[in-house]
């Protein structure tokens, strides 16, 4: 079965995580993604955090599956010629260079438009154009701090905290993928390409919209009723760190289960929703709370919410996190075990759905990687191993019309 993005050719000038996450997603859905890398070096993540000497690191393999690798020295006249030809026959160029790098290579937006009026140039940036920090180099944790996530994460008596989730990198890549697909659809109508840019700060802030909501509520009323600081604590004039409180107005917290003394992840997340109050009381054996005016409404419960969580935690002390969730889900109570990476890697459901897949690599052998988080009724993306450095160089050049002799000359002159 053909894939939706078959026939779309993408020049992938990205490295590390944000850009590669974007182009990998598009490759899964059928686009021909040509990863352009420096001869002899390639993407820096090929060698970062290696677990097998001399073999591409998992950091690289898990962000570059389904792509083809072309090595190319764009500083040489022949390299520029190859890139020019590639631009003419491609649909999208994705880059996360520093500001002005493409221009210095001789490929300004104006020149690219002349070569291919339908070309879409998509860029990952740290900050949006015109921002007073636009020249600042940005990495994952920098983006989380600049986008508001760190200041609102962690506990009120501790420092700002970054998340292990790639809010700055992979999240930005997903936003950019949406932008590219939108620009491709617009080109179907207009015939014209355009520039698409997503900044890491903007992408983090987009996921922190509920905290921007809370800032405006705090400005108006001076407190935030769903945060653990209410009603016994105090609020400043900025959104505080809320620990493990739920962000949607439903009180929630991480609670200890059997074995927490030796297992740092023997916990569940438990949410107290209004409509679930009676089932919660029945599940934990506190039926007397159901009609007690001191507990019947969320407002009545708020001043003793941590006493309630303490009672639930007492109920949990002889149950593992999995046993607890199996009981609670029968009462339709929102909860989940705190799952480790090891537990997720071995989760049969995630393997069956394709969320986690095992693939082959020519040098590494089998390894686990993430599969598509997006599920389709008529398509299941096939996840393939990442390419070796320059693995498809000759194949790509032959497809562009270069002769075997020309390709041999390129190799000898280290153009590719």
């Amino acid at each position: 079965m053909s894939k939706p993005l078959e026939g779309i050719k993408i020049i992938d000038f990205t490295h590390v995580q944000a850009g590669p996450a974007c182009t990998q997603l598009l490759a899964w859905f059928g686009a021909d993604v040509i990863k352009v890398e420096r001869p002899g070096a390639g993407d820096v993540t090929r060698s970062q955090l290696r677990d097998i000497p001399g073999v591409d690191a998992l950091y690289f393999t898990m962000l570059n599956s389904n792509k083809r690798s072309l090595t190319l020295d764009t500083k040489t006249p022949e390299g520029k010629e190859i890139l020019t030809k590639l631009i003419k026959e491609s649909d999208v160029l994705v880059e996360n260079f520093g500001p002005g790098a493409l221009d210095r290579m001789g490929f300004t937006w104006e020149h690219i438009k002349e070569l291919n009026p339908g070309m879409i140039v998509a860029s990952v940036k740290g900050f949006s154009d015109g921002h007073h920090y636009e020249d600042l180099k940005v990495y994952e944790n920098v983006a989380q701090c600049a986008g508001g996530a760190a200041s609102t994460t962690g506990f009120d008596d501790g420092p700002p905290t970054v998340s292990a989730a790639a809010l700055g990198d992979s999240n930005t890549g997903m936003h950019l993928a949406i932008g590219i697909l939108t620009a491709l659809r617009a080109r179907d109508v207009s015939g014209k390409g355009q520039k698409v840019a997503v900044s890491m700060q903007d992408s983090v802030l987009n996921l922190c919209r509920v905290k921007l909501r809370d800032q405006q509520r705090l400005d108006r009323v001076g407190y935030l009723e769903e945060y653990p600081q209410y009603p016994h604590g105090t609020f400043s004039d900025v959104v505080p760190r809320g620990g493990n409180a739920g962000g949607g107005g439903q009180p929630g917290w991480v609670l200890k289960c059997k074995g927490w003394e030796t297992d740092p992840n023997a916990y569940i997340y438990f949410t107290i929703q209004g409509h679930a109050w009676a089932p919660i009381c029945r599940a934990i054996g506190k039926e007397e709370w159901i009609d007690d005016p001191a507990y019947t409404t969320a407002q009545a419960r708020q001043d003793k919410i941590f006493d309630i969580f303490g009672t639930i935690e007492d109920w949990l002390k002889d149950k593992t996190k999995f046993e607890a969730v199996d009981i609670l889900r029968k009462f339709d109570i929102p909860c989940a075990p705190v799952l480790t990476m090891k537990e997720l890697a071995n989760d049969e459901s995630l393997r069956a759905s394709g969320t986690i897949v095992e693939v082959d690599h020519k040098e590494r052998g089998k390894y686990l990687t993430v599969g598509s988080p997006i599920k389709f009724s008529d398509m299941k993306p096939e996840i393939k191993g990442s390419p070796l450095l320059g693995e498809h160089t000759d194949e790509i050049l032959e497809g562009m019309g270069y002769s075997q002799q020309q390709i041999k000359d390129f190799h000898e002159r280290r153009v590719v």
Side-chain angles (χ1 to χ4, degrees):
M1 179 182 134
S2 63
K3 296 177 182 175
L5 296 185
E6 279 186 7
I8 299 296
K9 183 178 286 188
I10 297 175
I11 304 170
D12 183 2
F13 260 124
T14 68
H15 54 282
V16 191
Q17 185 174 168
C22 166
T23 52
Q24 176 175 254
L25 189 75
L26 301 177
W28 287 345
F29 300 157
D32 178 14
V33 176
I34 299 173
K35 187 174 181 73
V36 182
E37 303 183 76
R38 287 182 301 153
D43 190 319
V44 66
T45 59
R46 285 186 182 271
S47 60
Q48 281 188 342
L49 305 175
R50 274 182 170 144
D51 58 316
I52 303 175
V55 175
D56 287 338
L58 288 165
Y59 197 1
F60 177 85
T61 66
M62 295 178 71
L63 285 157
N64 292 282
S65 57
N66 294 52
K67 302 178 185 180
R68 296 197 290 167
S69 173
L70 164 71
T71 49
L72 186 64
D73 184 353
T74 56
K75 295 180 180 179
T76 65
E78 297 92 339
K80 293 183 189 299
E81 174 197 303
I82 293 170
L83 180 55
T84 296
K85 192 168 184 178
L86 195 56
I87 287 172
K88 288 179 178 179
E89 59 184 47
S90 297
D91 301 279
V92 184
L93 186 154
V94 191
E95 60 89 17
N96 60 348
F97 294 127
L102 267 181
D103 293 356
R104 292 190 294 273
M105 286 168 55
F107 292 91
T108 63
W109 168 236
E110 290 72 20
H111 182 47
I112 291 173
K113 279 196 301 182
E114 290 173 358
L115 296 173
N116 184 348
M119 174 63 80
I120 292 156
V121 174
S123 302
V124 173
K125 297 177 177 294
F127 296 88
S128 292
D129 288 342
H131 193 284
H132 52 279
Y133 286 154
E134 67 178 339
D135 61 341
L136 193 63
K137 184 172 283 189
V138 177
Y139 296 111
E140 172 65 51
N141 292 349
V142 175
Q144 288 195 34
C145 291
S151 72
T152 55
T153 301
F155 290 87
D156 204 34
D157 58 353
T161 306
V162 297
S163 169
L167 306 179
D169 278 327
S170 283
N171 168 48
T172 301
M174 300 305 101
H175 279 83
L176 189 63
I178 294 169
I180 290 169
L181 295 174
T182 302
L184 284 169
R185 180 69 185 97
R187 191 185 67 176
D188 290 342
V189 177
S190 68
K192 297 194 305 182
Q194 60 180 302
K195 288 201 294 184
V196 179
V198 177
S199 88
M200 296 172 74
Q201 181 191 40
D202 293 356
S203 296
V204 173
L205 179 55
N206 190 41
L207 295 192
C208 291
R209 67 185 69 181
V210 296
K211 300 301 181 181
L212 184 60
R213 171 204 68 188
D214 292 348
Q215 183 62 57
Q216 295 172 87
R217 293 170 55 224
L218 182 63
D219 290 342
R220 185 173 297 276
V221 300
Y223 61 89
L224 298 168
E225 62 188 35
E226 76 279 18
Y227 280 63
Q229 291 84 348
Y230 178 86
H232 305 298
T234 58
F235 289 85
S236 70
D237 61 348
V238 299
V239 174
R241 290 182 274 288
N244 290 313
Q250 309 294 340
W253 208 252
V254 170
L255 303 179
K256 299 171 185 173
C257 294
K258 179 181 177 180
W260 67 271
E261 298 92 341
T262 55
D263 181 356
N265 294 292
Y267 290 79
I268 66 169
Y269 194 85
F270 192 101
T271 302
I272 298 177
Q273 285 188 303
H275 73 271
W277 178 243
I280 289 170
C281 295
R282 295 188 184 99
I284 66 173
K286 297 293 288 185
E287 288 87 348
E288 67 271 21
W289 281 355
I290 295 176
D291 298 315
D292 186 336
Y295 293 90
T296 51
T297 67
Q299 187 173 12
R301 294 190 290 269
Q302 187 60 47
D303 66 343
K304 45 192 166 291
I305 194 67
F306 281 98
D307 293 332
I308 295 170
F309 284 139
T311 299
I312 298 170
E313 205 163 59
D314 188 59
W315 176 82
L316 290 166
K317 66 184 179 183
D318 63 348
K319 302 168 184 68
T320 69
K321 61 186 178 183
F322 298 110
E323 291 169 342
V325 170
D326 281 342
I327 294 171
L328 295 170
R329 66 180 182 172
K330 295 175 183 176
F331 291 85
D332 200 26
I333 296 168
C335 61
V338 173
L339 296 175
T340 66
M341 286 298 112
K342 187 165 188 171
E343 288 165 335
L344 291 166
N346 295 318
D347 190 303
E348 292 182 4
S349 296
L350 296 180
R351 296 286 190 102
S353 69
T355 299
I356 290 180
V357 295
E358 186 177 71
V359 295
D360 288 310
H361 185 269
K362 290 180 176 64
E363 294 179 344
R364 167 176 288 280
K366 293 186 181 298
Y367 68 96
L368 290 183
T369 189
V370 294
S372 174
I374 306 167
K375 313 302 181 187
F376 302 89
S377 63
D378 291 339
M379 179 186 76
K380 186 170 183 178
E382 179 188 2
I383 311 301
K384 302 176 182 178
S386 61
L388 301 179
L389 179 61
E391 178 180 347
H392 304 95
T393 296
D394 291 3
E395 172 186 294
I396 292 168
L397 293 176
E398 285 177 10
M400 294 171 64
Y402 288 102
S403 68
Q404 291 187 356
Q405 184 59 52
Q406 286 176 303
I407 295 171
K408 182 180 179 181
D409 291 342
F410 289 150
H411 280 290
E412 289 177 352
R413 296 200 299 274
R414 297 184 180 179
V415 174
V416 297

